[in-house]
């Protein structure tokens, strides 16, 4: 099923799976101290679990969440002590698979084309990112004023979810955009601080995974809005409209706060 019920909120399984994978990986790596580079006992089981979960998320389809999941897993493996050469091997193996996934689906190929040449089709594939450029540029330093933005009313598609940062930039300007980025930097600082002060490896890895999950997703979303990455369909954590992302992000941050309170 594409949706699960958590309490009174209907959530996407992909949002739930990200948090579950972070918890599982923190526990599993904690049990493999000194064996992080063992193919049979560590890397192969992780590959099977993450690969299966990634395939299920791709089946939804949700390519953006899959990339975010891989980013979180890579960060946790790096903190656990995996050497950089293994990441190079993984990237070489994943590159042809990523190309196949991108060009196997026409909408993904169109997103790449729109990213590289948005003005080649300004009323078609490039329309959304061009309108995002206009919204961000129109805001100036102080913005047009709260609720005074025009792009969200008639032009910018999905302004309440994936492109909410465009609306913030238009209405609150450069000052508001920098403030949002600064708040995510605070989450990054506090999350890594909690990880550094944690007295056990499980809590340290869990704190790193949750921090990268939240801040990394925010970085990808903002990069898409300003044209640094192709459109992914990833919401901005804690800000974009939608119960799935909000519920699971709050759940994850609750765990992070618990780790922070119990650091030595």
């Amino acid at each position: 099923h594409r949706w699960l019920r958590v309490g009174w909120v209907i959530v996407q399984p992909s949002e739930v799976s990200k948090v579950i994978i972070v918890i599982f990986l923190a526990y599993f790596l904690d049990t493999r101290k000194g064996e992080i580079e063992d193919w049979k006992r560590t890397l192969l089981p992780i590959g099977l679990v993450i690969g299966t979960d990634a395939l299920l998320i791709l089946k939804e389809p949700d390519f953006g969440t899959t990339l975010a999941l891989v980013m979180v897993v890579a960060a946790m493996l790096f903190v656990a002590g995996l050497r950089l050469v293994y990441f190079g091997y993984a990237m070489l193996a994943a590159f042809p698979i990523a190309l196949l996934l991108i060009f196997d689906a026409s909408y993904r190929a169109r997103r790449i084309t729109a990213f590289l040449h948005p003005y080649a089709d300004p009323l078609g594939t490039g329309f959304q990112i061009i309108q995002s450029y206009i919204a961000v540029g129109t805001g100036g330093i102080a913005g047009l004023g709260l609720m005074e933005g025009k792009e969200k009313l008639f032009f910018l598609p999905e302004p309440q979810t994936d492109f909410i940062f465009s609306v913030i930039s238009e209405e609150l300007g450069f000052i508001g955009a920098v403030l949002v980025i600064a708040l995510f930097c605070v989450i990054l600082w506090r999350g890594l601080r909690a990880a550094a002060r944690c007295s056990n490896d499980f809590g340290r890895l869990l704190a790193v995974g949750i921090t990268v999950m939240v801040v990394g997703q925010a970085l990808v979303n903002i990069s898409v809005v300003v044209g640094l990455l192709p459109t992914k369909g990833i919401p901005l954590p804690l800000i974009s409209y939608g119960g799935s992302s909000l519920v699971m992000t709050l759940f994850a941050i609750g765990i992070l706060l618990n780790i922070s309170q119990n650091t030595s």
Side-chain angles (χ1 to χ4, degrees):
H1 297 289
R2 292 194 60 185
W3 303 94
L4 297 174
R5 181 178 291 275
V6 179
W8 290 278
V9 180
I10 305 298
V11 299
Q12 285 181 302
S14 58
E15 294 292 339
V16 179
S17 69
K18 284 193 301 183
V19 180
I20 293 176
I21 285 296
V22 170
I23 297 173
F24 157 75
L25 194 57
Y27 167 78
F28 186 79
L29 291 174
D30 184 45
T31 64
R32 294 294 189 271
K33 296 177 182 177
E35 300 177 310
I36 184 63
E37 296 180 359
D38 190 314
W39 280 96
K40 291 184 179 180
R41 283 181 49 80
T42 306
L43 297 181
L44 183 59
I46 290 174
L48 290 174
V49 173
I50 303 302
T52 301
D53 188 61
L55 288 174
L56 291 174
I57 296 175
L58 283 171
K59 189 67 177 176
E60 288 193 17
D62 193 341
F63 189 66
T65 299
T66 305
L67 291 179
L69 177 64
V70 171
M71 179 172 58
V72 172
V73 171
M76 295 180 70
L77 288 172
F78 177 75
V79 172
L82 187 65
R83 289 183 295 169
L84 290 177
V85 64
Y86 287 92
F87 295 102
Y89 295 149
M91 290 177 64
L92 289 175
F95 183 72
I97 299 175
L99 288 179
L100 178 63
L101 290 172
I102 289 172
F103 293 102
D104 182 59
S106 59
Y107 75 93
R108 291 182 190 138
R110 289 195 298 270
R111 286 180 176 179
I112 297 296
T113 302
F115 167 67
L116 296 174
H117 307 286
Y119 290 96
D121 186 11
L123 298 179
T125 56
F127 182 79
Q128 189 174 32
I129 187 61
I130 290 174
Q131 297 305 316
S132 179
Y133 292 159
I134 295 172
V136 173
T138 302
I141 298 297
L144 302 179
L146 191 62
M147 305 302 293
E148 296 298 326
K150 305 300 187 298
E151 285 292 321
K152 66 183 180 183
L153 300 177
F154 308 107
F155 306 103
L156 181 64
E158 304 300 331
Q160 77 282 8
T161 55
D162 304 345
F163 282 78
I164 188 66
F165 190 76
S166 301
V167 178
I168 293 172
S169 299
E170 182 183 17
E171 297 185 354
L172 303 180
F174 178 78
I175 296 174
V178 170
L179 178 61
V180 170
I181 295 174
L183 291 174
F184 280 110
C185 288
V186 171
I187 295 177
L188 176 64
W189 165 57
R190 293 292 296 179
L192 295 182
R193 180 172 178 266
R197 294 188 174 187
C198 190
S199 59
N200 61 83
D201 290 338
F202 172 70
R204 177 169 58 89
L205 290 167
L206 188 56
V208 169
I210 291 173
T211 302
V212 173
M213 182 184 74
V214 176
V215 179
Q217 183 170 320
L219 178 63
V220 171
N221 177 276
I222 294 172
S223 298
V224 167
V225 166
V226 298
L228 296 179
L229 288 175
T231 304
K232 296 282 192 303
I234 295 180
L236 186 60
L238 302 173
I239 298 178
S240 289
Y241 172 83
S244 297
S245 176
L246 180 62
V247 168
M248 298 315 300
T249 301
L250 290 175
F251 178 77
I253 290 180
I255 297 175
L256 186 59
L257 286 172
N258 183 270
I259 295 172
S260 178
Q261 290 178 344
N262 290 279
T263 54
S264 57

